[in-house]
Amino acid sequence: MKSCEVVVLLLALLCVGRAAPLTSCDTLLKPISISNEQMLGRWLYIGGSSDLPGSRSLGHLLNSIWLDIRATSLSNVLTIFQTQRIYGECSGMIYNVTMQNSTLLIEHPFYLKEVYLETDCADCLVVYEEVKTSQDSFKSLLLFSRQRSVSLADVEMLKMQAKCLQMPSPLMMDPSYEICPDNIATSDGLAAFNSLLEAKMGQRVAKLLDQLFDFFIN
Ligand SMILES: *[C@@H]1O[C@H](CO)[C@@H](O)[C@H](O)[C@H]1NC(C)=O
Ligand SMILES: *[C@@H]1O[C@H](CO)[C@@H](O)[C@H](O)[C@H]1NC(C)=O
C-alpha cells in the first residue's frame, strides 16, 4: 500500500516536472532587481491569479484596476493611488508602502510582501505577492503594464509562472475595458482590505463563490 502511494507521488512529480521543468521554473520565479524609480507612474492591471478567497469571483466582476505609484519625501516610501472598477462602479484608495532592495512591504495592519519576476514584456511588471494574517497566508501573481494589453507570448509566460507556483491559470482582463477617471475620491484602502481578511466567515463564503463562478463561467 505504502509503495503504491510512493509510486503515485512519483508519477505526480514527473507530471508536474514535465508540465513545467524545474530549471525554467527557477528562472521564471527568480525575483528581479528593480529600482524605486522604475516603479513610479501608472500601471494598468492586465491579469493574474490568486488563492485569496473571493479573488476569482471578484476577477469575473472586475472591469479594470490602475495604480499610480508616486515618490514621497522619504526615499524608501512610495504612495500608491489605486482605482478599480468593479461591476461598473469606480472606487479609489491611497496607501503608503515601503520599497527597499527590490521588495515592497506593508507591515500594518497586515503583512504584505511583493517581489517582481522576470518578464519578456518591456512595459510590464510581474508581481509575486504574499499576504499573511495571524492564521492564513495567501499568494498572488499579478501582471501590470504601461499599455492596455500585452502580447500572447507575454500572457503565456505569466501562465507558466502560475503553473510553477501551482496556482490556477490567470484570469485575464478584457482589453476593451473602461478605466476609472483620475479625480476619484479615495478611502483608506488598507483598512478595507484588512477587514476583508479578518472576516473568517466571509472567507468561507468567498471560497464557495469562487467555485461557483469557475463552474458557471469557465
Ligand atoms: C505617506 O508617507 C508620506 C511621507 O512620510 C506622508 O507625507 C504621507 O502623508 C503618507 N500618506 C499616507 C496615505 O499615509
Ligand atoms: C537585498 O537583497 C539581496 C538579494 O535578495 C540580499 O542578498 C541582501 O541581503 C538584501 N539587502 C538588504 C539590506 O536587505
Side-chain angles (χ1 to χ4, degrees):
M1 193 58 207
K2 269 273 179 286
S3 67
C4 204
E5 278 166 24
V6 171
V7 168
V8 170
L9 182 66
L10 280 178
L11 281 176
L13 285 175
L14 281 177
C15 291
V16 170
R18 195 165 308 149
L22 276 180
T23 48
S24 76
C25 282
D26 284 349
T27 320
L28 286 170
L29 300 183
K30 189 174 177 324
I32 59 166
S33 87
I34 183 166
S35 71
N36 292 18
E37 289 67 36
Q38 286 171 292
M39 299 284 295
L40 299 181
R42 213 184 247 257
W43 295 100
L44 293 162
Y45 178 66
I46 304 295
S49 183
S50 177
D51 62 9
L52 196 65
S55 59
R56 289 190 81 79
S57 325
L58 189 63
H60 290 294
L61 297 176
L62 190 66
N63 308 123
S64 66
I65 304 182
W66 60 261
L67 308 178
D68 188 9
I69 304 182
R70 301 165 186 172
T72 67
S73 53
L74 300 173
S75 63
N76 64 338
V77 176
L78 300 175
T79 297
I80 302 187
F81 176 60
Q82 173 177 341
T83 74
Q84 52 267 315
R85 183 184 281 269
I86 299 168
Y87 209 61
E89 288 284 325
C90 283
S91 57
M93 49 200 200
I94 192 157
Y95 49 96
N96 274 354
V97 298
T98 60
M99 175 82 195
Q100 225 166 357
N101 206 12
S102 305
T103 306
L104 181 150
L105 273 185
I106 296 176
E107 282 171 299
H108 300 285
F110 51 86
Y111 176 87
L112 179 150
K113 177 180 160 187
E114 284 186 357
V115 292
Y116 304 92
L117 307 182
E118 208 67 60
T119 172
D120 288 337
C121 162
D123 292 325
C124 294
L125 191 62
V126 174
V127 179
Y128 175 64
E129 182 180 277
E130 284 171 350
V131 174
K132 291 194 178 111
T133 66
S134 46
Q135 281 109 10
D136 304 290
S137 85
F138 305 108
K139 54 187 202 279
S140 307
L141 177 71
L142 311 165
L143 173 62
F144 289 88
S145 175
R146 303 281 188 194
Q147 315 294 333
R148 263 178 174 260
S149 60
V150 301
S151 75
L152 277 180
D154 298 330
V155 175
E156 282 309 310
M157 188 160 170
L158 185 75
K159 284 185 181 165
M160 296 219 331
Q161 284 162 322
K163 202 176 254 180
C164 288
L165 289 164
Q166 292 167 354
M167 296 180 75
S169 192
L171 287 177
M172 306 311 292
M173 306 290 292
D174 173 354
S176 66
Y177 58 78
E178 252 185 279
I179 65 171
C180 292
D182 288 19
N183 56 350
I184 192 162
T186 56
S187 63
D188 180 352
L190 295 188
F193 191 52
N194 194 47
S195 52
L196 192 82
L197 284 174
E198 284 184 346
K200 277 286 171 193
M201 191 54 206
Q203 286 190 18
R204 243 168 285 149
V205 174
K207 268 185 194 149
L208 185 70
L209 269 179
D210 280 353
Q211 285 160 7
L212 283 176
F213 260 95
D214 274 344
F215 183 76
F216 285 110
I217 296 185
N218 297 333

